Amino acid sequence: MRTRTSPLRYVVLIVLALIFVSPLLFMISTSFKSRSESAQSPPTWFPHEPTLDAYRSILQATDTPVFRWFANSMIAATSNALLVVVTASLAAYALARMDFPGKKVVFGLIIATLFVPPVILVIPNYEIVGRLSWLNTLLAVIIPTAANAFGVFFLRQFFIGLPKELEESAFLDGANSWQIFSQVILPLARPALVTLTLLAFLTNWNDFLWPVYVLFSPESQTLQAGLSTLQSANNVRYDLLMAGAVIASVPVLILYAVSQRFVIEGVSRSGLKG
């Protein structure tokens, strides 16, 4: 028997959606305003005379190589996300399906690292990156976070929820551990893998503090670090700041729109089993 949805529920959902979407809409609107209108008080929701001056100023300025920053961020975030998925999936499968001495201790230590504030690791990671001669290179923002404790935990929970009978059947058919992992487990875990890839990409893409410390030259900076220099140099150019924020938001919105179905399925099936 189908239950009728209360109109009040729709009203509440619409109001919540507007609350969450309104900052994004205001950011886009401000990016099309003139310099004077963007600094106007009280602010206006819609530009009186829409203009692309802010985008032209950012994209054409020689001291703000936005396209280079954008490319650096794409390379760093994509490479880091792939490494996170590879390392996390291998570790998670071992912790979910294999038996070895100290398994619970290892998993406990991995979970314990989730409670360590990331800012504490800035200095030791800087020392390591410096000794490896990775400073001012994209390797400095790709490698240090490639081992992701949350990714191990997230995928382990998903792997535990998969039926063991599938692996046992593959083993009886002559498959070894690697074949079972790569040809049985990973295809079934696609929603969780896509979700983790998206989360890792967003974490690296939005990272600001670490790139500021390890990337020095304008050509090697990522988008978030580069936009921070734009803000310090143009602290009253809200139109420029909002235009830069829109450029930084486009890949995130596209990725979420494409992978939304996998994200919902991955989160809903990853529970807290085990």
Side-chain angles (χ1 to χ4, degrees):
M1 182 178 179
R2 298 181 60 182
T3 58
R4 298 183 59 184
T5 305
S6 171
L8 179 61
R9 182 178 181 181
Y10 286 111
V11 172
V12 173
L13 292 176
I14 292 174
V15 171
L16 290 175
L18 290 175
I19 292 174
F20 284 105
V21 173
S22 56
L24 179 62
L25 297 178
F26 184 76
M27 175 186 70
I28 297 174
S29 173
T30 304
S31 70
F32 291 103
K33 295 178 183 178
S34 63
R35 178 175 182 176
S36 58
E37 187 180 359
S38 65
Q40 180 178 311
S41 181
T44 57
W45 268 99
F46 302 100
H48 296 307
E49 297 181 1
T51 176
L52 295 174
D53 289 345
Y55 291 96
R56 293 192 188 99
S57 298
I58 289 181
L59 299 178
Q60 296 176 0
T62 57
D63 58 339
T64 57
V66 174
F67 289 114
R68 182 64 179 268
W69 297 342
F70 187 91
N72 289 342
S73 288
M74 286 295 296
I75 294 172
T78 302
S79 302
N80 179 262
L82 294 177
L83 286 175
V84 166
V85 171
V86 170
T87 57
S89 60
L90 291 171
Y93 181 70
L95 292 170
R97 287 292 193 256
M98 298 181 179
D99 293 322
F100 54 88
K103 173 181 174 180
K104 293 184 178 179
V105 175
V106 171
F107 182 65
L109 291 174
I110 293 175
I111 296 300
T113 61
L114 292 173
F115 298 94
V116 178
V119 69
I120 294 179
L121 303 177
V122 169
I123 294 178
N125 280 341
Y126 185 90
E127 288 291 329
I128 295 173
V129 169
R131 291 178 182 273
L132 293 172
S133 300
W134 288 350
L135 291 176
N136 204 35
T137 69
L138 291 182
L139 289 175
V141 294
I142 294 175
I143 303 300
T145 56
N148 189 290
F150 172 78
V152 175
F153 170 75
F154 180 76
L155 291 182
R156 174 185 176 272
Q157 302 309 116
F158 193 94
F159 291 159
I160 288 177
L162 296 177
K164 290 185 177 181
E165 290 78 10
L166 296 174
E167 298 170 66
E168 293 172 353
S169 299
F171 180 77
L172 292 176
D173 289 337
N176 56 36
S177 297
W178 173 252
Q179 291 173 326
I180 293 174
F181 171 71
S182 60
Q183 300 178 22
V184 178
I185 298 300
L186 290 186
L188 293 175
R190 186 171 61 172
L193 296 175
V194 172
T195 302
L196 180 59
T197 302
L198 179 61
L199 293 176
F201 181 94
L202 294 181
T203 300
N204 190 281
W205 179 271
N206 293 324
D207 193 12
F208 165 75
L209 180 63
W210 180 245
V212 167
Y213 275 102
V214 297
L215 302 177
F216 313 131
S217 62
E219 293 77 15
S220 65
Q221 288 181 344
T222 57
L223 188 58
Q224 303 300 336
L227 291 178
S228 69
T229 62
L230 177 70
Q231 182 174 359
S232 61
N234 304 279
N235 55 357
V236 295
R237 291 295 304 272
Y238 297 110
D239 55 332
L240 291 183
L241 299 180
M242 293 301 104
V246 170
I247 294 173
S249 301
V250 168
V252 175
L253 296 176
I254 294 176
L255 277 176
Y256 184 76
V258 171
S259 60
Q260 180 182 10
R261 177 173 62 88
F262 295 103
V263 172
I264 295 174
E265 183 179 355
V267 172
S268 63
R269 292 179 57 184
S270 292
L272 293 176
K273 184 176 180 181

